Amino acid sequence: MAHPQLTSTDFEPLLTNKAELEKISGKSTSYWKDAWRRFRKNKLALAGIFVILLLGIMAFNGAKMSGHNFKDNDLMATNQTMSKDHWFGTDTLGRDIFARTWEGAKISLFIGLMAAFLDLIIGVIWGAVAGYFGGKVDEYLMRIADILYGLPYLLVVILLMVLMGQGIWTMIIAMVITGWINMARIVRGQVMQLRSEEYVLASRSLGASNSRLLFKHLIPNTLGPILVTLTLTVPNAIFTEAFLSFLGLGVPMPHASWGVMTSDAIGAFQYYPYQLFFPAFFICLTMLAFNVIGDGMRDALDPKGRK
Amino acid sequence: MGKYILKRIGYILLSLYLIITATFVLMRLAPGSPFASERRIPPALEQQMNEAYGLNDPIHKQYIEYVVNAFTFDFGPSFKFVGQEVTDIIFRSFPYSLVLGLEAMFIALGIGVLLGVIAAIRHNKFSDYIAMVIAVLGISVPSFIMASILQYVFAIKLEMFSVARMESFADTILPAVALATTPLAFIARLMRSSMLDVLNSDYIKTAKSKGMSQRVVTYKHGLRNAMLPVISYMGPLIASILTGSFIIETIFGIPGLGSEFVTSITNRDYTVIMGTTVFFGILLLFSVLIVDLIYGLIDPRIKLTAKGGEK
Amino acid sequence: MKKILSVKNLSVSFDTYKAEVKAVRDVSFDLHEEETLAIVGESGSGKSVTAQSLMRLIPMPPGKFVGGSILFNGEDITQKSEKQMESIRGKEIGMIFQDPMTSLNPTMTIGKQIAEGLIKHHSMAKKEAYNRGVELLKLVGIPTPEKRINQYPHEFSGGMRQRAMIAIALACNPKILIADEPTTALDVTIQAQILDLMKELQKETGTAIILITHDLGVVANAAHRVAVMYGGKIVETGTVDEIFYNPRHPYTWGLLGSMPRLDNHDEELKAIPGSPPDLADPPKGCPFAARCPYAMKACGSHMPEYYELSSTQKTACWLLDERAPKVEPPEFANVGGSKVNG
């Protein structure tokens, strides 16, 4: 049965290093490193981040570039189309649409980010406390959340705006009053699940205090779903701003938000469609960018759900 | 089952009571008297009108009367349109909204599910990408912008539909499509991911190992299970279509409940605001109950009992 | 006994975004009527892919047949159309999966899931199929089958579900039953019951069984013949007695050494050091060489050929070459007391 190609030297022992055997083939990478690697591969999500950064820069510098102020009206130059002087044209009151667009970017991004931030603070604390303590605390906290959750979000926001009057901060507060619930529910679910896992038990048996457990173990581990929810809250808030402005409940007069601009333009859009185009385009672009970033993050952070 | 429904209705009544109270408090606290904007009204007459509308009664008396009336579905007369009962306004305008809403739901569910299923079956192929591009765009384009685009393209440029009229069925198509866009996109994404999950599940392999054809496996075993998340999305779907109708009806000039609500807000027509809000609340809460009942029928794992029935 | 399935040089690969993973490489084995063949190996050895290939249940793409054939009734399964496969699956070959909690459709009654196959393959009427379903449930030991048949999977316990799964797989009297880790997800006491049930049903129906497992205890209990897989290849095959009492491959020794035994209390279990090879880039020689304490130079460069030790036992190991040093199998693996003297 001798193999023809082999010589007797081939049957000398192959010396292998025992320690080598225990080395795991293939590098093991940490969860966040791995997630970042996956996220970086997602060209669409990277483009989304680029768009947001660009919008952010333009929000602070765009108005200066045009040489026009967003609130100055020039009744001699109303409803002008795109020109050298007015890059995006002017609106019915002769205001420069280019300058207004970037002022709108500032307001929309501010409202979106601030609403998401406040949602985060309230939602995480509420959800983490409910999920961590469980029992009666959980029941009461989540019952309150359930009742608020049952109410249609926009209806509540509209009623609150009617009550509180127009303004950027009243709008943010109106959004946050019901907006945090989603975050709270997600955090609670995650915490409930993690609470029973072993490393929490382990650190508990080592005498870690409740607040230490909450902030050192549970919240870092629930960060993934929180980040995703956060990213998807921003476009929702931007949409709500536009929606309210459209109903005439948005930011008050001298301010120019994209919603206000859309609302102003829609009356005459049969004649001056470009006036509607710019704010509408930027609303969609921003929402699109945040949506693809959110999707990218979800795919990156949850390898199981990756399709 | 009966017990479960009773318990749920109990919760609904509690929620309604909260909504009613909230609207009352909000409207009483709101700045600006309803008649303040009408400068022609002399103070004496305003006083007289406040009297007539019960605005001078002590607040607790107004409250009790309001709650009782609300539960008998009587919101009194409109502040703005003299001689019109709020209830009349609601029942006059609701049919328009109902038709529009059902049409939009039909479009969102039908096309959304179809897109999601196609995307899942043709996973990572061209039609998957197309479906998901449509879905991401649908989520990113707010309904009122969609409405303007549709009006511009189909009504103004192509003159296929009328711009803002509500006479025939054709007039409802554009607004229904605009209203359906966002939920359609959500449903397509939801359906795709749940269908992919289901198609990768073990029981699909079991069905295949029994010699079932690809069609039976995909539709009989896959679709029914994959539909479950979509059915639980029906509650938010109805809410989304309901709030979407505020703007869409205004843009398209449809005399529905949504545009009445918006008008009442601009007019600070308190009784109409309160009446429509309560009506929306009822509509939504009962829709969610019906959705949960349907879910219980489709998913045998859910037992609708008074104790553990709530999700 | 008649040969009913013959796998020859089967190779199956998966295209991943990184590389082509060669999950099954050049695997050959036969299956005879009324016998149970166990395919043993650790996870990633290619045993499940082999089993699912027999029914063409591998999603293609990313999976693909690279070479070889699967002859069933004289016809090559790898060449059949999807439509032709439908009349083989369930009718000629049945399959049981690992996790009974997830392998039954949660929104369909057990009865419907049994009847489906009968209606399709035996053209039974609905009523007839249900009656047969009740019989089958009784056969697999489910009490009050008339009531159970209208219930949903969530109303069954884990062991009950696996019994129902067996009823589904056997509904159309298939000639071959493939059981892919049928007891892994079950409690130990239930495991024994399920294995006994399979043995009993085999006696009654004469079905040939391919049992995929990583558990040598299950093999000893249920199989007639064993194929040991490692790194996508069959490294040793033989009767149960040969594999347990005269194993010749160092990997088989390792497997036996890592199995807990009742007659040997004081010795600790011997784990096999190292981890299985990366099948995206499989080693040129013997897949086990990197972990084998007896590896020789030839092992790293040449895949050993099969040495026929008896009419039933074949082992792919260079140690069996006459020029190789004589190696004593380690004490723990040397169950039968025989010595290696190749």
Side-chain angles (χ1 to χ4, degrees):
Chain A
M1 267 201 208
H3 194 287
Q5 292 166 354
L6 297 177
T7 63
S8 53
T9 54
D10 282 321
F11 292 93
E12 285 165 11
L14 183 72
L15 294 171
T16 45
N17 187 350
K18 283 272 175 244
E20 200 108 299
L21 285 177
E22 291 306 321
K23 260 211 233 154
I24 293 160
S25 50
K27 267 179 235 136
S28 76
T29 45
S30 79
Y31 173 69
W32 292 104
K33 247 192 188 151
D34 218 32
W36 171 236
R37 185 183 57 75
R38 280 195 295 266
F39 185 80
R40 245 182 358 204
K41 275 215 185 114
N42 189 332
K43 296 280 177 295
L44 216 54
L46 286 184
I49 287 189
F50 180 72
V51 165
I52 298 300
L53 286 179
L54 207 65
L55 283 173
I57 292 168
M58 287 305 285
F60 287 97
N61 301 310
K64 283 176 222 146
M65 285 163 59
S66 72
H68 291 280
N69 189 300
F70 72 91
K71 50 188 172 189
D72 290 345
N73 46 5
D74 178 0
L75 292 176
M76 302 302 286
T78 59
N79 296 326
Q80 287 187 354
T81 50
M82 288 78 92
S83 67
K84 244 198 186 139
D85 189 26
H86 298 288
W87 295 343
F88 288 178
T90 61
D91 68 3
T92 37
L93 293 174
R95 292 171 298 195
D96 182 58
I97 294 181
F98 187 80
R100 286 176 74 72
T101 298
W102 303 119
E103 173 66 14
K106 211 186 289 179
I107 289 178
S108 290
L109 287 177
F110 176 74
I111 289 175
L113 294 173
M114 191 46 96
F117 176 72
L118 294 178
D119 275 0
L120 173 79
I121 302 283
I122 303 176
V124 165
I125 293 175
W126 195 285
V129 168
Y132 186 78
F133 290 101
K136 276 270 176 287
V137 179
D138 177 43
E139 206 183 310
Y140 289 129
L141 289 182
M142 290 329 280
R143 181 63 74 208
I144 294 172
D146 276 348
I147 289 172
L148 286 174
Y149 194 75
L151 306 172
Y153 172 72
L154 275 174
L155 201 61
V156 173
V157 174
I158 290 170
L159 291 176
L160 286 171
M161 289 302 292
V162 170
L163 169 69
M164 296 189 296
Q166 285 162 255
I168 294 179
W169 277 103
T170 52
M171 190 184 274
I172 292 173
I173 291 167
M175 287 182 200
V176 170
I177 283 179
T178 48
W180 57 271
I181 298 168
N182 214 3
M183 184 70 84
R185 290 182 146 200
I186 286 165
V187 174
R188 173 182 171 269
Q190 289 286 322
V191 171
M192 286 286 242
Q193 195 193 332
L194 282 167
R195 194 162 71 117
S196 54
E197 279 177 26
E198 277 167 17
Y199 66 93
V200 175
L201 270 178
S203 56
R204 190 161 236 184
S205 62
L206 290 173
S209 70
N210 277 352
S211 65
R212 194 189 149 75
L213 274 178
L214 213 57
F215 288 100
K216 286 268 164 188
H217 289 279
L218 292 175
I219 290 182
N221 277 291
T222 51
L223 208 57
I226 289 175
L227 270 176
V228 174
T229 314
L230 204 60
T231 333
L232 297 176
T233 305
V234 180
N236 200 22
I238 290 174
F239 166 76
T240 309
E241 183 276 321
F243 189 95
L244 291 174
S245 298
F246 198 86
L247 289 183
L249 290 169
V251 292
M253 246 310 246
H255 292 295
S257 79
W258 288 335
V260 169
M261 290 171 72
T262 319
S263 168
D264 286 348
I266 213 150
F269 93 100
Q270 297 189 30
Y271 312 106
Y272 312 114
Y274 65 93
Q275 292 183 5
L276 180 63
F277 171 79
F278 291 107
F281 174 76
F282 282 104
I283 292 174
C284 297
L285 185 69
T286 312
M287 285 178 64
L288 184 66
F290 275 108
N291 278 325
V292 294
I293 296 172
D295 284 356
M297 281 217 279
R298 180 169 37 211
D299 291 350
L301 291 170
D302 178 16
K304 276 183 301 191
R306 196 158 49 113
K307 294 290 145 56
Chain B
M1 182 83 174
K3 235 182 176 174
Y4 169 78
I5 295 176
L6 274 182
K7 189 187 163 193
R8 283 294 300 270
I9 290 177
Y11 270 110
I12 289 176
L13 291 179
L14 184 70
S15 301
L16 276 179
Y17 172 71
L18 286 176
I19 292 175
I20 289 167
T21 306
T23 52
F24 180 82
V25 173
L26 286 179
M27 294 310 141
R28 281 297 172 273
L29 291 176
S33 153
F35 308 114
S37 59
E38 319 254 314
R39 294 220 190 88
R40 280 164 294 148
I41 298 176
L45 185 57
E46 188 181 341
Q47 189 55 36
Q48 202 183 329
M49 286 182 81
N50 278 347
E51 191 70 52
Y53 282 100
L55 293 180
N56 288 344
D57 288 342
I59 201 90
H60 67 271
K61 208 177 144 205
Q62 284 186 38
Y63 172 64
I64 292 169
E65 200 177 333
Y66 175 67
V67 171
V68 170
N69 284 342
F71 271 100
T72 55
F73 214 73
D74 173 13
F75 297 95
S78 160
F79 277 7
K80 216 75 198 184
F81 303 104
V82 182
Q84 291 197 29
E85 288 288 315
V86 174
T87 323
D88 291 340
I89 294 178
I90 291 174
F91 286 123
R92 187 189 64 217
S93 57
F94 182 59
Y96 292 102
S97 303
L98 185 67
V99 170
L100 190 64
L102 289 177
E103 217 176 297
M105 256 176 82
F106 188 73
I107 295 172
L109 273 177
I111 300 181
V113 167
L114 192 72
L115 276 182
V117 169
I118 291 174
I121 293 176
R122 317 278 307 152
H123 183 214
N124 280 344
K125 298 216 176 71
F126 186 67
S127 21
D128 181 15
Y129 296 131
I130 291 291
M132 285 308 106
V133 165
I134 294 175
V136 173
L137 287 180
I139 287 170
S140 305
V141 180
S143 54
F144 51 91
I145 292 178
M146 192 66 196
S148 318
I149 296 172
L150 289 175
Q151 269 193 336
Y152 188 72
V153 175
F154 292 101
I156 296 172
K157 287 283 161 195
L158 299 177
E159 296 183 350
M160 285 164 65
F161 298 97
S162 53
V163 177
R165 210 177 47 192
M166 190 65 184
E167 278 155 21
S168 66
F169 176 74
D171 296 334
T172 65
I173 293 176
L174 286 188
V177 170
L179 202 48
T181 309
T182 309
L184 184 154
F186 263 110
I187 291 172
R189 286 159 59 111
L190 195 62
M191 192 66 206
R192 174 178 179 266
S193 73
S194 100
M195 191 76 182
L196 279 176
D197 274 352
V198 167
L199 289 181
N200 283 326
S201 66
D202 289 351
Y203 58 83
I204 288 296
K205 241 180 194 165
T206 306
K208 241 182 156 173
S209 79
K210 283 190 281 188
M212 295 298 119
S213 66
Q214 190 60 47
R215 199 176 46 83
V216 171
V217 170
T218 308
Y219 296 103
K220 208 167 149 203
H221 289 267
L223 197 59
R224 187 184 163 111
N225 287 294
M227 278 296 281
L228 292 175
V230 174
I231 289 168
S232 40
Y233 176 72
M234 292 275 281
L237 166 70
I238 294 166
S240 153
I241 284 184
L242 200 138
T243 42
S245 71
F246 302 163
I247 278 186
I248 298 299
E249 289 182 4
T250 310
I251 292 179
F252 284 92
I254 296 167
L257 199 52
S259 59
E260 289 293 349
F261 181 64
V262 173
T263 316
S264 69
I265 285 172
T266 359
N267 288 341
R268 310 243 169 227
D269 196 343
Y270 289 164
T271 47
V272 180
I273 296 180
M274 290 192 272
T276 37
T277 305
V278 171
F279 186 75
F280 283 141
I282 295 173
L283 203 64
L284 206 68
L285 291 167
F286 276 96
S287 310
V288 171
L289 173 63
I290 291 168
V291 168
D292 283 355
L293 292 179
I294 293 174
Y295 195 97
L297 287 180
I298 291 183
D299 189 347
R301 285 166 297 186
I302 305 286
K303 275 257 165 6
L304 298 179
T305 54
K307 259 234 128 36
E310 279 190 303
K311 283 181 278 107
Chain C
M1 270 179 288
K2 230 181 92 196
K3 201 195 278 183
I4 55 170
L5 183 80
S6 177
V7 177
K8 284 207 180 80
N9 307 102
L10 181 70
S11 294
V12 182
S13 289
F14 290 89
D15 288 320
T16 67
Y17 68 102
K18 263 198 286 187
E20 181 186 328
V21 176
K22 302 172 184 76
V24 173
R25 301 184 289 149
D26 208 11
V27 161
S28 302
F29 62 87
D30 293 331
L31 181 71
H32 303 93
E33 281 177 348
E34 290 178 48
E35 79 166 345
T36 299
L37 169 70
I39 301 181
V40 192
E42 55 196 270
S43 40
S45 63
K47 57 188 195 302
S48 276
V49 175
T50 307
Q52 298 193 3
S53 301
L54 302 181
M55 275 183 104
R56 291 263 302 272
L57 285 179
I58 308 252
M60 296 187 180
K64 61 180 181 198
F65 286 121
V66 179
S69 60
I70 302 167
L71 290 179
F72 173 72
N73 280 344
E75 288 171 49
D76 188 356
I77 281 185
T78 62
Q79 300 301 323
K80 286 197 178 294
S81 72
E82 195 56 26
K83 199 90 219 140
Q84 287 170 314
M85 278 316 293
E86 279 170 24
S87 56
I88 292 180
R89 294 188 191 127
K91 191 179 179 199
E92 309 280 355
I93 310 177
M95 189 151 181
I96 312 170
F97 297 92
Q98 177 172 349
D99 189 353
M101 303 315 262
T102 57
S103 50
L104 291 167
N105 186 339
T107 59
M108 205 181 252
T109 60
I110 296 290
K112 224 174 174 178
Q113 296 189 51
I114 299 178
E116 225 179 15
L118 290 166
I119 292 169
K120 166 145 190 166
H121 298 303
H122 292 187
S123 321
M124 281 191 188
K126 223 174 187 177
K127 185 114 205 302
E128 200 186 351
Y130 266 83
N131 291 338
R132 171 85 180 121
V134 173
E135 274 171 40
L136 280 162
L137 286 183
K138 200 189 258 166
L139 188 72
V140 296
I142 289 179
T144 59
E146 303 83 4
K147 200 181 112 215
R148 288 292 191 168
I149 195 150
N150 290 318
Q151 288 185 337
Y152 288 93
H154 71 273
E155 294 166 275
F156 280 52
S157 68
M160 284 290 181
R161 288 190 197 195
Q162 199 61 308
R163 284 171 192 268
M165 195 59 222
I166 293 174
I168 290 173
L170 291 178
C172 301
N173 291 319
K175 298 196 180 68
I176 303 174
L177 177 68
I178 301 173
D180 190 354
E181 305 250 9
T183 57
T184 309
L186 300 174
D187 287 347
V188 183
T189 47
I190 315 272
Q191 284 186 5
Q193 289 176 17
I194 295 291
L195 285 178
D196 286 345
L197 173 69
M198 284 173 55
K199 279 198 283 189
E200 219 170 280
L201 291 173
Q202 185 175 37
K203 257 183 228 148
E204 270 175 59
T205 60
T207 311
I209 297 178
I210 296 180
L211 181 66
I212 311 292
T213 182
H214 64 269
D215 185 348
L216 283 173
V218 169
V219 175
N221 189 345
H224 303 115
R225 283 196 309 124
V226 184
V228 179
M229 275 192 87
Y230 186 80
K233 283 180 169 290
I234 291 182
V235 294
E236 182 161 33
T237 168
T239 63
V240 170
D241 283 350
E242 283 164 341
I243 294 298
F244 277 85
Y245 295 104
N246 187 25
R248 305 299 287 272
H249 197 285
Y251 178 64
T252 316
W253 297 343
L255 270 185
L256 288 166
S258 59
M259 188 176 116
R261 280 172 41 196
L262 287 174
D263 57 342
N264 218 345
H265 304 281
D266 38 277
E267 235 181 296
E268 54 180 301
L269 296 178
K270 301 281 190 301
I272 308 175
S275 53
D278 179 8
L279 292 178
D281 182 24
K284 216 165 51 175
C286 171
F288 190 57
R291 295 167 78 184
C292 181
Y294 315 104
M296 299 170 294
K297 282 181 181 161
C299 304
S301 55
H302 292 79
M303 179 62 207
E305 54 198 58
Y306 287 103
Y307 291 87
E308 285 190 27
L309 299 162
S310 73
S311 63
T312 45
Q313 188 175 10
K314 282 196 290 184
T315 305
C317 181
W318 286 128
L319 284 177
L320 299 172
D321 192 278
E322 55 217 3
R323 290 163 291 183
K326 305 294 164 263
V327 171
E328 304 268 321
E331 199 53 40
F332 60 84
N334 194 1
V335 187
S338 61
K339 298 268 188 279
V340 177
N341 45 14

